[in-house]
Amino acid sequence: MKKINVLFKKLDENAKVPTYGSKYSAGADIYALCSEKMTIPAGESAFVHTGLSLEIPEGVVGLIYARSGMACKRGVAPANKVGVIDSDYRGEIIVCLHNHGCDDVVIENGERVAQMVFAPYFTADFAESQSLSDTARGEGGFGSTGKK
């Protein structure tokens, strides 16, 4: 398991530093910072502050994912499905949560609301071509490889 150094800045003294739930957790839990409980009505989204900004190393991206317990048990997950934090972003980490459920959901200060996974990435030099190499799959799209 490779580790990287990620500098952080507390924008609020009450901000909680991300933590890993276990030795082999891939995602670091991100904590809500709110002065009072916030309610996300069913079918709506809300911005949840963390009070932290990060300095992610060049060549690494921070990916914000749902926490399984929140998504599966409470119906709340990041509104954009996966948030992308680029290495040159220095603003506050804010998670936009969407309530997919039928009931309002209350978020409390200090609650774990998402998880962040760090991953290396590649950028591409796009080159136009009149043809692409052939593959067995070809242009087969959604569902083209079967169900089982």
Side-chain angles (χ1 to χ4, degrees), residues 67-144:
R67 293 192 71 249
S68 60
M70 284 196 80
C72 297
K73 296 177 182 176
R74 297 172 66 191
V76 178
N80 55 343
K81 306 305 177 211
V82 178
V84 174
I85 303 171
D86 298 308
S87 62
D88 60 348
Y89 177 67
R90 294 295 184 272
E92 181 182 9
I93 305 303
I94 299 173
V95 180
C96 184
L97 290 178
H98 184 76
N99 181 353
H100 296 275
C102 298
D103 299 317
D104 295 352
V105 172
V106 175
I107 302 296
E108 297 187 37
N109 184 53
E111 184 172 349
R112 297 175 294 170
V113 293
Q115 59 181 322
M116 182 170 20
V117 174
F118 296 99
Y121 66 89
F122 297 93
T123 58
D125 289 323
F126 294 96
E128 186 174 3
S129 176
Q130 296 304 312
S131 63
L132 302 176
S133 62
D134 289 330
T135 66
R137 183 176 182 172
E139 294 181 18
F142 299 105
S144 65

